[in-house]
Amino acid sequence: MNSQEALFNYTLRLGDTSLILAQRLSEWTGHGPFLEEDLALTNVALDIFGRANAMLEYAGKLEGKGRDEDQLAFHRHDREFLNALITEQPNGDYARTLIRQAFIDAFDFLFYTELAKSSDATLAGIAQKTIKEVTYHKRHSFSWVRRFGNGTEESMQRLKKGFEEMWPYTGELFEMNEVDELLVPAGIAVDLAKIKPIWDREVNALLEEAGLMAPENCYMQTGSRKGYHSEHLGHLLAEMQAVPRMYPEAKW
């Protein structure tokens, strides 16, 4: 793998992760617990879709095979996607969705703050815009985790269940492979090992405020860096890609 291929893979990983997360969040549109929150989460999804579009557009240019962001999003099968496994997991109830979002927002804020320093001007530019959005996203999801944890007995139980289901997917966010090994020394990619301790502190503090505690020595799910996914991604893609695959030449 040369540096150009590594950069394409890296950008595709970021684009896929944003795309699948945004698609999951958009499933709440029209189904939020109340109108203001319905609009808030829909706007979060739109922000993340925008990031996915920018990343996949850049990935298409790096690949140099004539595929644009739409072709990358709608005309690949699940084994070709590199999104983090946590993003493809079903939403469940609102507590499950928001604890997942809190984990990802905490990661994204740290990650894109570092990526904004990238020697790759395009990635740095996307990251600088993303930081502003994730600042709001993080404040929103963290406040809901505290609200669930310090609300009623039922809200606490729902949060706890969501936490237990989502926690095993958090370790993969910090996995690094040969792509990172090529790009980190060049100042392009983020050294995930450096942001992991900060994420641990922030998330553990949030969990403590919500009356939860991270388990020790928990088994962490893995595989997305190699294109291995849960069955949920295939179902999500079947719905997301149905119309573009049915009318591949259509112009919207």
Side-chain angles (χ1 to χ4, degrees):
M1 179 181 293
N2 59 39
S3 57
Q4 183 76 5
E5 292 169 335
L7 183 55
F8 165 69
N9 184 287
Y10 189 73
T11 306
L12 191 64
R13 182 202 302 175
L14 300 181
D16 285 348
T17 293
S18 296
L19 175 66
I20 300 305
L21 176 62
Q23 181 69 17
R24 273 292 183 232
L25 292 177
S26 70
E27 294 172 2
W28 276 106
T29 302
H31 300 280
F34 51 87
L35 181 59
E36 185 177 2
E37 186 57 24
D38 190 307
L39 294 172
L41 201 62
T42 298
N43 281 322
V44 170
L46 286 172
D47 286 343
I48 300 172
F49 270 128
R51 186 199 316 160
N53 185 81
M55 287 293 185
L56 293 178
E57 180 182 11
Y58 186 40
K61 292 177 181 178
L62 290 168
E63 184 185 36
K65 295 182 179 180
R67 294 197 291 181
D68 62 14
E69 59 272 26
D70 288 336
Q71 289 169 314
L72 288 173
F74 300 120
H75 297 281
R76 287 182 295 147
H77 59 72
D78 56 350
R79 286 296 301 273
E80 295 177 283
F81 274 75
L82 300 174
N83 59 283
L85 293 174
I86 193 172
T87 62
E88 67 198 48
Q89 302 310 304
N91 289 326
D93 61 24
Y94 214 62
R96 189 177 196 263
T97 295
L98 267 296
I99 189 74
R100 176 186 64 195
Q101 193 61 31
F103 292 152
I104 295 173
D105 289 341
F107 173 83
D108 281 351
F109 183 81
L110 297 171
F111 177 85
Y112 285 103
T113 297
E114 291 301 311
L115 191 64
K117 306 170 188 175
S118 174
S119 59
D120 184 289
T122 302
L123 289 180
I126 296 171
Q128 287 163 9
K129 179 178 184 295
T130 297
I131 293 169
K132 300 175 184 178
E133 298 169 344
V134 175
T135 299
Y136 161 73
H137 300 171
K138 181 182 174 185
R139 184 167 64 245
H140 175 257
S141 62
F142 271 44
S143 68
W144 268 98
V145 169
R146 297 186 187 101
R147 187 173 180 177
F148 281 123
N150 296 285
T152 65
E153 181 178 350
E154 181 179 357
S155 72
M156 177 57 178
Q157 289 306 310
R158 287 175 179 266
L159 180 67
K160 183 179 180 182
K161 186 174 185 291
F163 164 70
E164 292 172 348
E165 292 169 341
M166 289 299 180
W167 183 256
Y169 294 96
T170 57
E172 189 193 43
L173 295 171
F174 300 94
E175 285 186 5
M176 299 174 69
N177 60 11
E178 65 276 10
V179 170
D180 304 87
E181 292 171 2
L182 277 171
L183 299 181
V184 169
I188 296 173
V190 175
D191 186 346
L192 300 177
K194 290 185 177 179
I195 66 174
K196 177 67 162 61
I198 307 172
W199 184 90
D200 286 339
R201 287 196 299 272
E202 289 191 359
V203 168
N204 284 329
L206 174 65
L207 294 176
E208 184 177 355
E209 289 180 71
L212 298 171
M213 180 178 295
E216 295 183 7
N217 302 318
C218 176
Y219 173 78
M220 291 292 175
Q221 299 287 341
T222 185
S224 71
R225 298 287 195 266
K226 297 181 180 179
Y228 301 147
H229 295 277
S230 67
E231 70 275 16
H232 306 300
L233 181 62
H235 295 298
L236 182 150
L237 292 178
E239 181 177 349
M240 186 182 83
Q241 297 177 339
V243 174
R245 284 182 177 273
M246 190 178 298
Y247 304 102
E249 303 303 321
K251 303 298 181 184
W252 307 97

